[in-house]
Amino acid sequence: MCNTLIIYSTVDGQTKRICQAMATELEQAGEHVIFSELSETTEEQLQHCDKVLIGASIRYGKHRPMLYQFVNRYKTLLDGRKNAFFSVNVVARKPEKNTPQTNPYMLKFLQLSLWQPQQLGVFAGRIVYADYGWLDRTAIRFIMWLTKGPTDTSQAYEFTDWEQVRQFAREFAAH
């Protein structure tokens, strides 16, 4: 049985939901899965796993600084295991920006990170305007207006391709 550590960094919870869907696929493949929020993940957890999967969201055009601190600090441990990384962002709703090779946030991550993951994924997130405070709602609505996205603040918008998420997990399980 493989011991897989799934680490997530999320602002609004979509990245955690994506990780949970992946965990279901990995468990069906016979892996034992352990979840950990990035800020709570320990070196000991990394030392005692066979595989590591990290998912992180984007907010206002950036991954959280803690993500870079973590992957740079634990690069050697990450490199010593089967590993994967995925980014969750609303820009990935656009077909021309939904692959690791075309997503600007993934490209920036790879440029700024010492760690170069073995498997990469990009998933579109979701927007739930009702969950945001006034400032976030206004800023996100403006960004959506600029990028020709949905701006009706009375609605929620799910952009995640859940089959793509499950396929990524199946590929990770196969290695």
Side-chain angles (χ1 to χ4, degrees), residues 65-172:
M66 181 184 292
L67 173 66
Y68 294 104
Q69 293 164 3
F70 182 90
V71 299
N72 290 342
R73 178 178 181 185
Y74 295 116
K75 178 191 180 309
T76 302
L77 283 171
L78 294 169
D79 287 342
R81 284 135 187 81
K82 167 68 179 161
N83 65 68
F85 172 74
F86 68 88
S87 179
V88 178
N89 56 82
V90 178
V91 167
R93 76 187 188 282
K94 297 182 174 192
E96 69 275 12
K97 296 185 180 181
N98 70 358
T99 70
Q101 297 78 26
T102 62
N103 186 270
Y105 303 119
M106 178 60 80
L107 296 173
K108 188 173 184 179
F109 172 82
L110 294 171
Q111 183 180 47
L112 296 175
S113 172
L114 298 176
W115 177 51
Q116 300 297 294
Q118 297 163 351
Q119 182 181 342
L120 299 171
V122 174
F123 305 108
R126 73 179 187 153
I127 295 174
V128 184
Y129 284 110
D131 289 353
Y132 309 139
W134 180 85
L135 184 61
D136 282 339
R137 184 172 45 253
T138 302
I140 292 168
R141 184 172 187 244
F142 179 68
I143 293 165
M144 287 295 102
W145 178 78
L146 286 174
T147 62
K148 298 179 178 31
T151 57
D152 181 350
T153 59
S154 69
Q155 301 294 313
Y157 303 93
E158 175 77 48
F159 300 110
T160 306
D161 179 337
W162 291 100
E163 181 50 37
Q164 181 189 16
V165 167
R166 289 186 289 274
Q167 181 60 37
F168 183 88
R170 287 190 292 269
E171 290 170 11
F172 187 66

